[in-house]
Amino acid sequence: MADAADHLAFAEDARALIAIGPHEERIDLGDVVITFSPGSHYWSTGVARVRFDDDVAGALERVRGEILDRGRGAAAWTIGDAATPSDLVPRLLGLGLESEPGEGSRVMVLDAPPDRRQTTFRVERVATAEALLAAIEVASAGFGHPPQDADDERRRAAETFERERAGGHTVRLLAFDGELPIATGQAWFGPGGLYLGGGATIPSHRRRGAMSALVTAAWDEAVRRGTPALVSYGNATSAPMLEGLGFRAVGRARHLIDRF
């Protein structure tokens, strides 16, 4: 069974460790891991577990070369406490990367049952292409995605559904108020636990317990799989909610965007 150190390593560099589907590619360059997922968004290319030596500029050029070789021109970087060198973030910013808004995220771990709050919302696994489309609409409204990003997700929805069903590496969840889809999230299977991401609630239903219901459902999935732990990132808005459910902060991470 995974211990606290395993959970910390997984939480900090989840994108380097989660299971990937047959439609994705992961390359480990030794000092960095790059994951390629379908889509044209910057977050479709993830850079994690960064352990550069002092030649950050040379390493960045090498990473960009791998990304360009696959016809992409942007990536999302996750820089945790264990990343090297210690001044990696300011050096990357000086080389042209952009910081996402805010001061980064807390790295969060839940390794005991969450506080099961009373709610009238029900949560279901996304089991049809139609349900996936509903989840995409919820996420687009919750995150305020630009129209072109939402259109790209809709266009690829049927293909995405079939690939995720075949891959068996992830589960999507959708929360309902009656028959109205109101919140969504995704859990990726990893060593000793599940990584939660993509959590979004439509504006009319925020702060009413939808995310709590999703976390509870994700925990039940983790237990069912024999890996009773959840890891996630919490920003200034979501971290207090996660802590209220029993998550604890074990570190911090910065999220950078590289467009080139």
Side-chain angles (χ1 to χ4, degrees), residues 39-140:
S40 57
H41 321 292
Y42 68 84
W43 63 79
S44 299
T45 302
V47 181
R49 210 182 69 194
V50 184
R51 306 290 189 269
F52 292 158
D53 60 22
D54 196 56
D55 184 14
V56 173
L60 175 61
E61 183 178 357
R62 177 163 41 88
V63 170
R64 285 174 168 172
E66 294 285 350
I67 295 171
L68 284 169
D69 284 347
R70 289 156 179 81
R72 305 188 181 198
W77 290 57
T78 301
I79 311 296
D81 291 336
T84 60
S86 59
D87 61 347
L88 178 61
V89 169
R91 291 177 69 173
L92 288 174
L93 293 174
L95 291 166
L97 276 70
E98 311 163 26
S99 178
E100 287 192 325
E103 294 300 315
S105 301
R106 299 178 199 175
V107 180
M108 313 287 289
V109 172
L110 178 70
D111 54 11
D115 178 15
R116 292 178 180 268
R117 300 178 180 179
Q118 293 293 325
T119 177
T120 59
F121 304 137
R122 76 178 192 280
V123 178
E124 298 180 0
R125 293 183 60 157
V126 169
T128 66
E130 292 75 17
L132 177 57
L133 271 173
I136 288 170
E137 296 302 332
V138 168
S140 296

Side-chain angles (χ1 to χ4, degrees), residues 14-18 20 24-27 33-37 43-48 72 76:
R15 290 204 67 172
L17 296 170
I18 54 175
I20 61 174
E24 298 174 290
E25 178 189 10
R26 175 179 291 148
I27 57 174
V33 175
I34 312 171
T35 304
F36 300 91
S37 302
W43 63 79
S44 299
T45 302
V47 181
R72 305 188 181 198

